[in-house]
């Protein structure tokens, strides 16, 4: 089992982000990007399974977990700028980005705007768009009504709704506690930023190799939504996991790591087969 080290990086004045680092020195850098409510812990199942060929970094985004909580700056553009600043702060010249859920929005913005820094992109349960999704409408209403302390029942429903079948109870409890650290204004401003952004436009101009991972039991994102991503990113490839929900990396971490390792190997040696 891979050892996970906890560190912190000052990405800009007044903003320090904790991050987890795992894997092996000299391995291909892989930076994990979590979604709304989560922290680096969302990728703990992947980090502790990383093979020797990979070196993983999982920052906690502003306003989340134990990261600094500025009073503003929660649009996808802000999170994308933080991600580039994180790469600079930890001296990563070029990395594979692996993003889950809404974290895929700033990640793909970085992939499109900084192709010199990103060797490949993996999107796990990432929305093509948030338009015409009843669950999102209901969530917006719930989030707009939040006040501190954020009710535990709201967080429990949010976290449990991300999986289609049981996962380790310890992981669920940890993610509930991590989500409870997020102040109400961060929930509101982050979701507003996502809903006020033309998500289709954030898919434009991505030229780096891209893999889309999706669970076919995802109640939020239908297959057609993933097709929006595939149609926008030339050469992107879909890996569908049968019987799996929104947080694919929680339900099948071994397979996700295997697919990630195969993708990274393909990037390093394009003549060899990629993921399938």
């Amino acid at each position: 089992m891979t050892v996970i080290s906890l560190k912190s990086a000052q990405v800009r004045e007044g903003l320090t982000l904790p991050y987890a680092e795992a894997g092996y020195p000299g391995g291909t850098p892989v930076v994990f990007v979590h979604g709304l409510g989560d922290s680096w812990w969302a990728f703990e199942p992947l980090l502790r399974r990383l093979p020797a060929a990979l070196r993983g970094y999982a920052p906690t985004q502003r306003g989340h977990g134990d990261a600094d909580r500025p009073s503003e700056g929660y649009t996808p553009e802000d999170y994308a700028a933080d991600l580039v600043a994180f790469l600079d702060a930890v001296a990563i010249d070029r990395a594979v980005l692996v993003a889950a859920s809404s974290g895929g929005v700033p990640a793909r913005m970085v992939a499109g705007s900084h192709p010199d820094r990103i060797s490949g992109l993996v999107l796990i349960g990432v929305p093509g768009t948030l338009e015409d999704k009843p669950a999102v409408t209901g969530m917006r209403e719930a989030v707009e009504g939040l006040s501190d302390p954020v009710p535990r029942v709201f967080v429990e429903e949010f976290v449990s709704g991300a999986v289609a079948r049981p996962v380790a109870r310890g992981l669920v409890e940890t993610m509930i506690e991590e989500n409870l650290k997020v102040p109400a204004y961060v929930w509101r401003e982050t979701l507003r930023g996502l809903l006020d952004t033309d998500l289709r436009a954030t898919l434009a101009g991505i030229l780096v190799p891209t893999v889309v991972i999706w669970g076919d039991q995802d109640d939020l994102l239908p297959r057609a939504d993933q097709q929006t991503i595939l149609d926008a990113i030339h050469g992107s490839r879909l890996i569908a996991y049968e019987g799996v929900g929104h947080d694919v990396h929680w339900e099948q971490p071994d397979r996700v790591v295997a697919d990630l390792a195969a993708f990274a190997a393909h990037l390093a040696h394009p003549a060899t087969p990629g993921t399938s």
Side-chain angles (χ1 to χ4, degrees), residues 170-225:
L171 174 62
V172 173
E173 290 298 332
T174 296
M175 295 317 304
I176 288 172
E177 295 303 322
E178 291 296 291
N179 275 248
L180 284 170
K181 294 177 181 179
V182 182
Y185 77 89
V186 174
W187 284 96
R188 283 195 300 272
E189 294 304 315
T190 301
L191 187 57
R192 285 174 184 171
L194 287 166
L195 295 178
D196 291 344
T197 297
D198 181 355
L199 296 193
R200 292 178 186 271
T202 67
L203 291 164
I206 298 175
L207 302 176
V208 304
T210 300
V211 168
V212 176
I213 294 177
W214 169 75
D216 70 357
Q217 297 304 304
D218 190 333
D219 291 334
L220 175 62
L221 307 178
R223 172 65 175 80
D225 192 73

Side-chain angles (χ1 to χ4, degrees), residues 115-195:
D116 58 318
R117 306 294 300 275
I118 308 304
S119 57
L121 180 65
V122 179
L123 301 175
I124 305 175
V126 170
T129 177
L130 291 175
E131 300 170 357
D132 302 323
K133 291 185 172 63
V136 175
T137 301
M139 183 180 177
R140 182 168 198 170
E141 293 174 353
V143 167
E144 289 292 340
L146 289 178
S147 59
D148 294 316
V150 173
R152 187 178 185 89
V153 64
F154 166 80
V155 168
E156 289 178 342
E157 292 177 357
F158 181 73
V159 173
S160 64
V163 293
R165 54 187 180 184
V167 298
R169 186 61 193 168
L171 174 62
V172 173
E173 290 298 332
T174 296
M175 295 317 304
I176 288 172
E177 295 303 322
E178 291 296 291
N179 275 248
L180 284 170
K181 294 177 181 179
V182 182
Y185 77 89
V186 174
W187 284 96
R188 283 195 300 272
E189 294 304 315
T190 301
L191 187 57
R192 285 174 184 171
L194 287 166
L195 295 178

Side-chain angles (χ1 to χ4, degrees), residues 4 11 13 19 23 25 36 58 61 89 110 118 121-122 137-138 142 161 172 183-184 188 216 247-248 254 271-272:
I4 299 175
V11 299
E13 185 176 355
Y19 69 98
L36 174 58
Q61 298 189 62
V110 172
I118 308 304
L121 180 65
V122 179
T137 301
V172 173
R188 283 195 300 272
D216 70 357
D247 280 344
V248 178
D254 288 309
T272 62

